[in-house]
Amino acid sequence: MPRTNPTPAHPTHLVPLSAAAEHFHVSVKTLRRRIADGTIAGYRVGRLIRVDLDELTQNLVVAIPTSRSV
């Protein structure tokens, strides 16, 4: 059975892992781990792996709760 990759539902801005890592100030290794554990999706373009910056922003950036009440 052939493997199917998730296809994005909207037009994407796919960038190399190195560019995404620099943008989010994380390592390429961190992004590869997140792709492996399913937190983010990686898209294969030929031999290269690309990620969607919008998807990374949604899935990688997490707000830190504070104990202050406003």
Side-chain angles (χ1 to χ4, degrees), residues 1-66:
M1 176 180 272
R3 283 177 45 181
T4 58
N5 291 333
T7 55
H10 56 83
T12 60
H13 184 75
L14 297 178
V15 297
L17 291 178
S18 59
E22 186 176 320
H23 181 77
F24 287 100
H25 304 287
V26 297
S27 69
V28 171
K29 190 173 182 178
T30 297
L31 293 178
R32 289 184 184 277
R33 280 193 300 251
R34 296 297 172 253
I35 292 169
D37 71 13
T39 304
I40 61 175
Y43 302 95
R44 185 170 296 278
V45 179
R47 292 181 50 201
L48 307 173
I49 304 287
R50 300 287 190 242
V51 290
D52 180 8
L53 284 181
D54 295 332
E55 186 177 329
L56 285 180
T57 301
Q58 292 174 0
N59 297 331
L60 205 59
V61 178
V62 178
I64 299 173
T66 62

